[in-house]
Amino acid sequence: MFCFINSYRKLSSRRISCGESGQASVEAAILLPSLLFIIGLMAQPICIFYTRTVMNTAASEAARLVLTQSNHVSKDDIDAFILRRLRAIPPLTIFHEGGEEGWEITLGESEKLIEIAITSKIKPLPLVGIFSAALTGATGGLGTISVHVAEPLRPGWLSGGYEDWVEQWGD
């Protein structure tokens, strides 16, 4: 038995079998899970990229703080400064695991460099974690994300000392 569907514009008419009326539902049942899986596959790398960006920015700002305020800033002040900036990361395991205690902040200072490293754990989505680690450069193994910033204490183009600058500009 056949059902007839006629166009109201009389441009075309076609015959559709009555057994094909549920085809769109079957296609949607196949397409929607696939589409949701692809969106989920893209969500993890985006979240990790956001976390790494905030971590890198916090480490860079802390390095600049140490360079400009080296006499007045303690290690606890730097940690508090970094943790305040890291609060921009949502406390979800897809972004970061462990809350405020989950951050590992290390500060190193040498004669020519200030180094700040921030490390944390993430909990990757099932089957997505491998792709996320590969695409976003999560280091230290699967589930670990870290950034390392090294800033010179004095720029290479800057020469002389304070006395030289005063002599040059003062009169």
Side-chain angles (χ1 to χ4, degrees), residues 58-124:
S60 296
E61 288 179 1
R64 279 187 225 104
L65 175 72
V66 171
L67 293 175
T68 58
Q69 305 290 328
S70 60
N71 296 335
H72 308 294
V73 180
S74 68
K75 169 79 165 102
D76 293 335
D77 291 339
I78 295 168
D79 288 349
F81 182 85
I82 291 172
L83 289 174
R84 179 169 171 80
R85 271 127 187 93
L86 293 176
R87 286 188 196 134
I89 299 170
L92 303 171
T93 57
I94 192 173
F95 288 96
H96 157 71
E97 194 171 81
E100 208 163 294
E101 294 81 30
W103 300 107
E104 182 182 326
I105 301 169
T106 56
L107 175 67
E109 193 169 347
S110 68
E111 197 172 294
K112 295 186 177 187
L113 286 176
I114 181 77
E115 297 181 59
I116 297 178
I118 304 173
T119 306
S120 180
K121 300 277 185 200
I122 56 170
K123 184 177 181 182

